[in-house]
């Protein structure tokens, strides 16, 4: 595992840290491969229920790709088949919570969009500057941003390349929590620990159902949800949940 992608464990919570603060946590191809490998391991680790993703330091969650490394791709086809760090989080079956401080730009924005819940500090600044540089982000911004903030706001951000502050991101619904910078990591970790208390099958089934709703017709989605409910029911988890509820009422 690359030293630039760190892992810390807090019980059932895996904390993944982009550890290159002197370069505003800009991503290299080697870091992308390390991040993808780590997420694949965490996917198969039954001891991990929730993943927390953050950037080291106060200056940035991630400023996106290290532009100096783009010349390492020898052809367009090699670039096409790259390991894209922006989409890594979407392959996680477990919930991913992003803790955000400082710059969240380009591929950093796409990593954030791939998370399930976003906790931002007041210092966070968000932007997709790719169009200004002459290209299009390849990690999902054009697909995920409209689903989160709507077509018009997504087009405003993507076509202008402008950055917005944390308060504006909160107003648009780009982030779910807005807290003081000093509280970002603790808030995100506390949230992860709370989610980790739920049964992992139920949590992963719920994530799968909600993600499916973004691409499935309603009737197919309703049927898929029922199949997942049946799966949870078949494991007998409902019996423990019902017993706990009865005890709490008493």
């Amino acid at each position: 595992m690359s030293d630039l992608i760190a892992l810390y464990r807090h019980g059932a919570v895996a904390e993944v840290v982009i550890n290159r603060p002197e370069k505003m946590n800009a991503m290299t191809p080697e870091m992308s491969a390390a991040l993808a490998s780590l997420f694949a391991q965490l996917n198969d680790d039954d001891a991990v229920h929730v993943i927390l993703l953050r950037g080291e330091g106060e200056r940035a969650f991630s400023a996106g790709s290290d532009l100096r490394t783009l010349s390492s791709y020898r052809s367009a086809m090699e670039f096409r088949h790259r390991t894209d760090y922006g989409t890594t989080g979407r392959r996680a079956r477990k919930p991913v919570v992003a803790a955000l401080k400082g710059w969240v730009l380009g591929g950093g924005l796409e990593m954030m969009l791939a998370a399930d819940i976003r906790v931002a500090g007041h210092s966070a600044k968000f932007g997709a500057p790719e169009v200004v540089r002459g290209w299009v982000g390849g990690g999902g911004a054009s697909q995920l941003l409209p689903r989160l903030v709507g077509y018009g706001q997504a087009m405003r951000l993507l076509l202008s390349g402008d950055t917005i502050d944390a308060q504006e991101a909160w107003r648009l619904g780009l982030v779910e929590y807005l807290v003081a910078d000093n509280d970002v990591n603790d808030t995100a970790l506390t949230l992860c620990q709370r989610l980790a208390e739920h049964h992992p099958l139920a949590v992963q089934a719920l994530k799968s159902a909600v993600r499916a709703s973004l691409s499935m017709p309603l009737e197919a989605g309703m049927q898929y949800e029922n199949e997942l409910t049946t799966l949870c029911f078949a494991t007998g988890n409902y019996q423990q949940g019902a017993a706990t509820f009865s005890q709490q009422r008493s």
Side-chain angles (χ1 to χ4, degrees), residues 108-231:
L109 181 74
E110 290 172 325
M111 279 194 287
M112 179 207 79
L113 291 172
D116 301 297
I117 302 176
R118 289 149 283 269
V119 179
H122 287 284
S123 70
K125 297 180 180 64
F126 305 84
E130 288 90 344
V131 69
V132 178
R133 297 167 179 160
W135 65 81
V136 176
S142 67
Q143 304 303 304
L144 299 177
L145 194 56
R147 288 171 164 84
L148 199 59
V149 301
Y151 178 86
Q153 294 293 355
M155 290 299 282
R156 172 172 77 96
L157 295 173
L158 293 172
L159 286 176
S160 69
D162 292 342
T163 59
I164 60 172
D165 61 21
Q167 190 66 43
E168 177 74 355
W170 165 258
R171 185 185 71 82
L172 293 178
L174 187 59
V175 299
E176 287 69 48
Y177 292 83
L178 180 59
V179 300
D181 281 359
N182 290 339
D183 296 331
V184 169
N185 293 345
D186 288 343
T187 299
L189 179 57
T190 299
L191 174 61
C192 288
Q193 290 171 330
R194 179 184 176 191
L195 300 182
E197 293 176 355
H198 304 322
H199 196 285
L201 175 61
V203 170
Q204 292 183 40
L206 183 57
K207 174 172 177 172
S208 181
V210 175
R211 283 290 176 92
S213 74
L214 300 177
S215 56
M216 274 188 181
L218 177 59
E219 292 305 318
M222 295 288 287
Q223 182 61 41
Y224 181 57
E225 180 187 81
N226 188 61
E227 297 302 326
L228 292 173
T229 301
T230 303
L231 174 64

Side-chain angles (χ1 to χ4, degrees), residues 62-108:
S62 175
S65 297
D66 185 333
L67 301 184
R68 295 173 300 178
T69 66
L70 295 180
S71 61
S72 65
Y73 295 104
R74 294 166 295 181
S75 68
M77 290 300 291
E78 183 178 3
F79 177 78
R80 182 190 186 196
H81 298 302
R82 72 196 181 282
T83 299
D84 197 310
Y85 61 89
T87 61
T88 294
R90 285 189 58 78
R91 292 190 287 274
R93 295 188 295 271
K94 302 159 186 184
V96 178
V97 175
L100 310 163
K101 289 189 282 187
W103 293 106
V104 187
L105 297 177

